[in-house]
Each structure stands twice: as structure tokens, then as C-alpha cells.
Amino acid sequence: MSEYRLPDFIKARKRGPYQAPIIREALKLNDVQKSLGRDLFYHVITYGCQANVRDGEVIAGILEEMGYTHTEELGEADIIILNTCAIRDNAEKRVMGEIGFLQNYKRMKPSMILGLCGCMAQEEVVVKRILKSYPVVDLIFGTHNLYELPAMIERIIVDNQKAVSVYSYQGSIFEDMPSVRSLPHKASVMIMDGCDKFCTYCIVPYTRGQQRSRLAEDVIKEVIELRDNGYKEVTLLGQNVNAYGKDIPDNGDFGYLLKKVAETGIERIRFTTSHPWDFTKEMVDAIADYDNIMPFVHLPLQSGNDEILRRMGRRYTSQQYRELFDTLKERVRDVAISTDIIVGFPGETEEQFLDTLKMVEYCKYDNAYSFVFSPRPGTPAAKMEDNEELEVKKERLYRLNDRLGYYSKINNEKWVGKTVKVLLDGPSKNNPEVFCGYTPQQKLVNFTLKEGKVGDIIDVRITEAKKNSLNGEQI
Ligand code: SAH
Ligand code: SF4
Ligand code: F3S
């Protein structure tokens, strides 16, 4: 096992004054690697957040540089990569189930390579368990070393050896990596990776490394290229976009970046995720002042109780959250706000949970993601005393979702009879005769289309509101 590079949570926790090296053109393929995938097929299965989806696009780009061709058919694939998420236990369980299922394909086609990467690959316990109990996995790499993929695949195919390489360190910034974008009209642009917030329940700071921002000029260059290639929408991605730029001198912060990206003139700009902690006035001004910055903010609350927020390490109070919320509502016309909420944090009492419900009544969110607390090994909250039954937590989640659903519907109903601008994504998955797309407020609209193609911005009159979507017709 010594030839493997395994993850290490103690190293992953390390933080300090750090400016990440920028590595340009890290991907260098030798002649063997350039043709290893010729006549072979790949399939990447991605779980988790948009940052992971973006990594999946880079992985696809690397595999195509090696000559591989994409396939949707698992049975046809010569390499299947599971790009995993570690945020909650059920995310991990699904991946373990998927490995079990993919074993059958491997039996039918022993030459098939089964790989695992992403945030689970950064977890010591997971990697050890896979090496011990899942011999079918031939390839494991982490979030810091996508560029090593060609050398790892070469080792598997040419030397007939397993390849395991995971770094647990602060991390670098990789520029100029190849990628295959999933859509022709909407693109994600990573503006930073990693997180230094260390909310006590969260595994991300361990799996993604220290916060490291890309240079504003590199981000803007990417947005301009996308705009020139016909992209209509970019989403600026980071675990904490508001903290963007704090780790590099003479660059400008997120407020500055938003303005610069808006000035490229690209049609629609979104960003996620905004931690309430670092939200500045300049950011609010930018969202309010530029028409191409969409009036939609995902503002995770997590809990409405100050004591729970303190123990979560969120560093804002419910009052500070409400003030920011009010400012956004006042300053940004027709803004939609969504959130994330965790119920059943260790020690959460019924009373403390009711504070969360009160916040929901106050904020009346447009949309929300809610979760039962899931202890993540190695995080401080996993060691906190937790006496509450899972059934009680589930019941809280149920009550919470009931109110969240009520307000999404109420907010959607406000749009009935109005005409909205929808960026056309294409036919809906369930019914090819109905088309779908999103409004500036990030509301999903299903509508009848008279004329238009993917990427067009269409005027749609809303005829009906549902909890999670709107129906309408092109006018
Ligand atoms: N960076 C974002 C969150 C990314 S994780 C932020 O700070 O807001 C997405 C969501 O998953 C979080 O907002 C949180 O609600 C939820 N989450 C994270 N860790 C969790 C855990 N251990 N158990 C349950 N939910 C969790
Ligand atoms: Fe996790 Fe908190 Fe960082 Fe968000 S800000 S990724 S919840 S540690
Ligand atoms: Fe999951 Fe990693 Fe994203 S844990 S939510 S894929 S940063």
C-alpha cells in the first residue's frame, strides 16, 4: 500500500497565511497517454454541488485529450468515474450502492476501469474502506490532482496496477485545464475553490482545501471567451463567493469582480454560494445596479437560533441575517431569495427549532433546501453531544418543509398573469412537447413554445403556479 498516496485529515485541516500557486497548463500528456483512450469510451457520474459538476467537465476534457469518447451507455464504457460528494451520509451511501451495482459491469467487461474521485476520495476513512472492501475500484484520485489522471490511467492500462493518489494540502489554482462543458448556453465559472470557514458540521474545508481565488483577470478572460462563444449565462462558483479575493493582494473583492463580469456584457450572471458573513454593501449595490446580474440570491440560513448558529460557527446572529435579508429586499427589485437549513443539529431543542420556523415565517423564502444534520467524521459537530432521536429530527424536517413549500407556492403565485423573460434550456425531460427554462429569479418555467432555440430569451406569460415551478405560454 506504500505506493499509494492516501488522504490525511490532519493535514487537510492546516491553514495559515497562504497564497496558492497558480499553475498554468498543468496537463501535459506524453505520446502514450495521448492515444490511450483511442476507440474507447468514458462515462462520468457526478454527485454533489456545482463545483463538483464543473470538476466533472474538466475530467471529461482530460479524458477526451487522451482520445476517449463520451458514452451514455454504462455497458459500453471502458472507464467509469464516480465523481463523489461527502456532504451528508446519504450522499456517501448512494455512491457505495453505485459501486456495488457497477461491479456487474466490471464482471462482464474486466478491462473496464472503475474510478472514484471528488470529495469522498479526500476522506481517509472512505479510501481505506474502499481499498479493503471494494477491490473493483482501480482508480482513486482527489480534488487537488485531476491533472494526474493521464499518468494514473497509464499505470492501470500499461503496468496493470491500481492507481491511488490523493493530496491533503492547501491546494493550487489550475488554469487552462481542458473541459467539456455540459451545456451550449449556460456555463459555470469557478472563481475560487476551498473554504476556510470551518462551520462545525461541514466537511468541505477538509475535502477542498484552503480558500484560493483565481485572479480577476483570469475569470474575466474566461467569461469573455464564453460570451464570444455564444454563452448567455455564467454562474460564478465558490463555496463562499463573498470571501473571493481575500487571499490575493491587489486583485479586488467579490463586489469588484461582479462589476467587472457585468461589464463584459454577458446576458445573465448568477453566483453561488453567498455566506451571509462576508456580504458587503458593494455586492448589494452591484446586484441592484447591473441589469445582467440576476436578482436571485442563495443565502443559507442554517438555523434561526443564535445559540445554534454560534455552535455551528456561522458567525452571524439571526438579527444580522434579517438585516441583510431586508437590505437585499429593499435594494434589489423583485429579488428572489433561497436558503439552506439544517434541522437537528446536536443539542437543538424544540424551542430552538421554533426559532428557525420563525425565521422562515419572516423571510418567506422563494425556495429552500433543508436537511437533517448528518455527522461527518472528523468535524467538531460530529463529537458534540446529540441525544435527540432521528424520528424527532425527521418530524421537524417535515414541519419545516411544510412551511417552506407553502411560501414557495405563495411566491410563485405572484407571477401568474405576468410576462417574464425565460432563457430557453430545451424540451422538458418529462414531456418533449413542453419546453423549459429559468426566469431571472431562477424560477423554472414549463411553457408552450411557438418559436425559438436553446439559448434564446423568450417572453413567456405565466398561467399557473406550482410549488416548484411555473407554467406558461410564449407570447
Ligand atoms: N458553502 C455553502 C454550503 C455548501 S454545503 C454555505 O456556506 O452556505 C450545502 C448545504 O449542505 C449547507 O448549506 C448545509 O445546509 C448543508 N450541510 C452541510 N453539511 C451538512 C451536514 N453535516 N449535515 C446536514 N447538512 C449539511
Ligand atoms: Fe461548509 Fe461553512 Fe464552508 Fe459553507 S462556509 S462550505 S457550510 S464550512
Ligand atoms: Fe459535496 Fe464536495 Fe460539493 S462535499 S457539496 S461535492 S464541495
Side-chain angles (χ1 to χ4, degrees):
M1 228 150 92
S2 56
E3 59 201 295
Y4 300 155
R5 194 177 292 112
L6 299 176
D8 176 337
F9 251 37
I10 297 189
K11 283 192 194 146
R13 203 173 295 156
K14 194 171 160 240
R15 290 296 186 275
Y18 179 67
Q19 198 178 333
I22 301 174
I23 301 174
R24 296 188 190 271
E25 294 172 21
L27 194 75
K28 291 193 182 71
L29 300 175
N30 64 30
D31 289 342
V32 176
Q33 292 162 358
K34 274 183 201 153
S35 59
L36 266 182
R38 197 182 295 151
D39 302 326
L40 300 180
F41 292 95
Y42 76 90
H43 187 90
V44 181
I45 304 173
T46 295
Y47 301 86
C49 65
Q50 293 180 63
N52 239 27
V53 174
R54 180 68 191 129
D55 280 355
E57 294 180 341
V58 172
I59 292 164
I62 297 172
L63 293 171
E64 294 202 0
E65 297 263 311
M66 297 179 71
Y68 282 95
T69 307
H70 171 75
T71 177
E72 273 303 317
E73 295 289 322
L74 289 177
E76 189 181 41
D78 299 284
I79 178 165
I80 298 178
I81 295 188
L82 290 166
N83 182 20
T84 64
C85 171
I87 201 81
R88 283 170 293 275
D89 187 50
N90 55 5
E92 297 204 354
K93 286 217 174 84
R94 268 171 62 203
V95 170
M96 291 309 194
E98 188 72 22
I99 297 177
F101 170 71
L102 292 173
Q103 275 176 352
N104 303 326
Y105 287 98
K106 179 99 178 172
R107 265 187 221 114
M108 287 186 284
K109 191 181 199 178
S111 66
M112 181 195 93
I113 298 174
L114 181 57
L116 181 132
C117 66
C119 287
M120 277 172 74
Q122 293 293 141
E123 288 183 283
E124 249 174 280
V125 276
V126 170
V127 173
K128 285 187 179 149
R129 189 158 113 224
I130 288 175
L131 288 175
K132 192 161 159 257
S133 314
Y134 294 88
V136 336
V137 176
D138 322 90
L139 165 72
I140 302 177
F141 58 100
T143 58
H144 294 296
N145 56 333
L146 307 190
Y147 67 92
E148 285 187 342
L149 191 53
M152 296 179 82
I153 294 177
E154 182 181 359
R155 175 183 159 96
I156 298 168
I157 297 180
V158 179
D159 306 334
N160 205 13
Q161 305 257 359
K162 234 187 229 288
V164 179
S165 180
V166 181
Y167 295 90
S168 291
Y169 61 6
Q170 289 149 297
S172 310
I173 296 160
F174 293 98
E175 292 295 342
D176 316 313
M177 292 291 275
S179 82
V180 179
R181 299 224 175 240
S182 350
L183 298 170
H185 62 306
K186 299 203 288 196
S188 296
V189 175
M190 288 289 284
I191 63 167
M192 64 202 298
D193 206 341
C195 180
D196 298 340
K197 296 282 194 257
F198 285 98
C199 302
T200 55
Y201 51 81
C202 184
I203 201 158
V204 172
Y206 307 81
T207 63
R208 291 252 160 203
Q210 184 152 352
Q211 169 174 323
R212 45 205 198 278
S213 306
R214 289 175 69 197
L215 293 178
E217 61 198 58
D218 286 325
V219 173
I220 290 154
K221 192 171 134 230
E222 188 175 334
V223 174
I224 289 174
E225 269 170 28
L226 287 163
R227 180 201 67 191
D228 293 348
N229 284 315
Y231 278 82
K232 296 292 165 57
E233 180 176 299
V234 289
T235 302
L236 308 178
L237 289 184
Q239 286 302 336
N240 248 306
V241 290
N242 314 30
Y244 169 82
K246 289 188 173 183
D247 49 319
I248 33 177
D250 309 322
N251 177 80
D253 61 7
F254 189 56
Y256 167 84
L257 187 75
L258 267 180
K259 286 183 202 151
K260 285 287 165 195
V261 172
E263 282 158 15
T264 65
I266 190 149
E267 211 116 3
R268 286 184 166 196
I269 299 154
R270 300 186 185 280
F271 54 91
T272 199
T273 300
S274 293
H275 191 302
W277 177 2
D278 298 302
F279 222 112
T280 61
K281 181 176 174 304
E282 287 68 33
M283 282 181 56
V284 179
D285 290 345
I287 304 165
D289 296 345
Y290 287 90
D291 286 345
N292 56 348
I293 302 181
M294 293 299 102
F296 171 74
V297 181
H298 182 60
L299 196 66
L301 168 69
Q302 312 300 2
S303 165
N305 175 268
D306 290 341
E307 171 58 16
I308 297 290
L309 283 173
R310 192 187 62 73
R311 290 204 288 116
M312 285 177 161
R314 292 293 287 182
R315 308 210 202 179
Y316 50 83
T317 61
S318 54
Q319 177 59 23
Q320 284 164 332
Y321 184 97
R322 258 195 304 270
E323 282 164 19
L324 174 59
F325 182 92
D326 291 342
T327 309
L328 283 166
K329 285 275 175 185
E330 270 159 37
R331 285 278 290 120
V332 185
R333 197 158 68 92
D334 284 337
V335 71
I337 298 182
S338 69
T339 202
D340 291 344
I341 294 174
I342 299 177
V343 300
F345 187 78
E348 184 192 66
T349 62
E350 170 67 17
E351 233 180 4
Q352 288 171 325
F353 168 68
L354 290 179
D355 283 342
T356 300
L357 281 189
K358 271 187 216 145
M359 277 299 266
V360 170
E361 299 299 331
Y362 184 86
C363 297
K364 306 178 172 58
Y365 293 106
D366 280 86
N367 191 15
Y369 301 90
S370 52
F371 315 99
V372 169
F373 167 74
S374 167
R376 308 314 298 130
T379 62
K383 295 184 208 91
M384 292 178 190
E385 198 176 316
D386 189 0
N387 297 321
E388 205 55 274
E389 300 282 331
L390 184 59
E391 278 315 304
V392 175
K393 297 185 181 195
K394 283 189 179 162
E395 193 266 340
R396 282 183 196 158
L397 185 70
Y398 181 83
R399 277 190 282 158
L400 173 67
N401 286 345
D402 183 58
R403 297 315 290 159
L404 291 172
Y406 173 78
Y407 286 115
S408 336
K409 177 99 196 284
I410 297 264
N411 280 305
N412 283 348
E413 277 165 1
K414 289 182 199 151
W415 293 96
V416 175
K418 292 194 176 141
T419 298
V420 293
K421 298 224 172 279
V422 177
L423 175 59
L424 177 56
D425 283 340
S428 114
K429 276 193 198 103
N430 307 327
N431 179 355
E433 279 166 27
V434 173
F435 287 75
C436 62
Y438 286 85
T439 70
Q441 284 78 6
Q442 186 72 348
K443 299 210 177 268
L444 174 63
V445 185
N446 292 303
F447 60 100
T448 47
L449 182 75
K450 290 181 193 145
E451 204 193 332
K453 55 181 190 318
V454 172
D456 284 352
I457 292 182
I458 311 247
D459 283 321
V460 177
R461 203 177 67 84
I462 301 302
T463 51
E464 191 189 350
K466 299 187 164 182
K467 197 162 76 179
N468 296 315
S469 62
L470 300 167
N471 289 340
E473 55 200 17
Q474 182 174 18
I475 55 166

